[in-house]
Amino acid sequence: MSIDITFFTVYTEFMNRFKIKKADVLIAAAVLIIAAAVFLCTNLLASDGGKAVVEKDGNVIAELPLSEDAIFEVEDGGTVTNVIEVKNGKVSVISASCPDKICQNHRAVSKSGESIVCLPNKVIVNIEKGDREVDGVAR
């Protein structure tokens, strides 16, 4: 008596046991392909940012060009809560007074639309495109 286990028999047993239909597999594959395409498009086609906009309590307190290295201190009541560094075209939080330090451990950002958020200190760093050009229609 020989045991003949092939991929097809294992596949058929799995499909029958869990009542999975071929359409379910096709839908799952389509969702994975679409998710991968969206991920690749957003990462590969994202444009480099031109400036970092720093907000505190919903108010813009600084606009830092990514082309110039700089350090900016965010203060609250005379106390420095966050230190933001622009270096080599990327922005990061190098110091934070918050207990969890999530913003400080966040990777440096440089692409338009990326952000770093410090919820306890109410600080948001958004990356935006540089100066917007006005076209002939808007004039």
Side-chain angles (χ1 to χ4, degrees):
M1 185 166 153
S2 112
I3 299 176
D4 184 28
I5 298 178
T6 62
F7 173 75
F8 182 73
T9 56
V10 172
Y11 173 77
T12 306
E13 178 68 27
F14 178 80
M15 298 292 274
N16 290 336
R17 185 173 200 181
F18 293 106
K19 295 182 172 85
I20 297 174
K21 297 184 171 105
K22 288 181 184 177
D24 297 335
V25 174
L26 291 175
I27 290 172
V31 168
L32 286 174
I33 290 170
I34 291 170
V38 168
F39 177 77
L40 290 174
C41 287
T42 56
N43 286 324
L44 296 178
L45 300 178
S47 62
D48 289 334
K51 63 183 176 181
V53 178
V54 183
E55 297 178 25
K56 170 82 173 148
D57 291 322
N59 301 317
V60 175
I61 58 171
E63 292 187 5
L64 308 170
L66 298 182
S67 57
E68 302 172 16
D69 290 355
I71 292 182
F72 180 75
E73 294 179 344
V74 179
E75 296 182 359
D76 187 20
T79 305
V80 175
T81 58
N82 296 76
V83 179
I84 298 165
E85 179 182 44
V86 179
K87 188 174 182 180
N88 299 326
K90 295 183 178 186
V91 181
S92 60
V93 176
I94 58 172
S95 175
S97 64
C98 57
D100 53 13
K101 309 276 192 235
I102 292 174
C103 57
Q104 190 173 338
N105 295 326
H106 194 284
R107 66 176 177 78
V109 294
S110 63
K111 301 279 186 191
S112 182
E114 292 182 322
S115 62
I116 300 174
V117 179
C118 181
L119 285 177
N121 293 332
K122 301 177 185 172
V123 174
I124 301 173
V125 181
N126 288 312
I127 305 298
E128 295 182 359
K129 293 182 180 180
D131 296 329
R132 294 183 180 145
E133 296 179 13
V134 178
D135 62 6
V137 176
R139 293 180 194 181

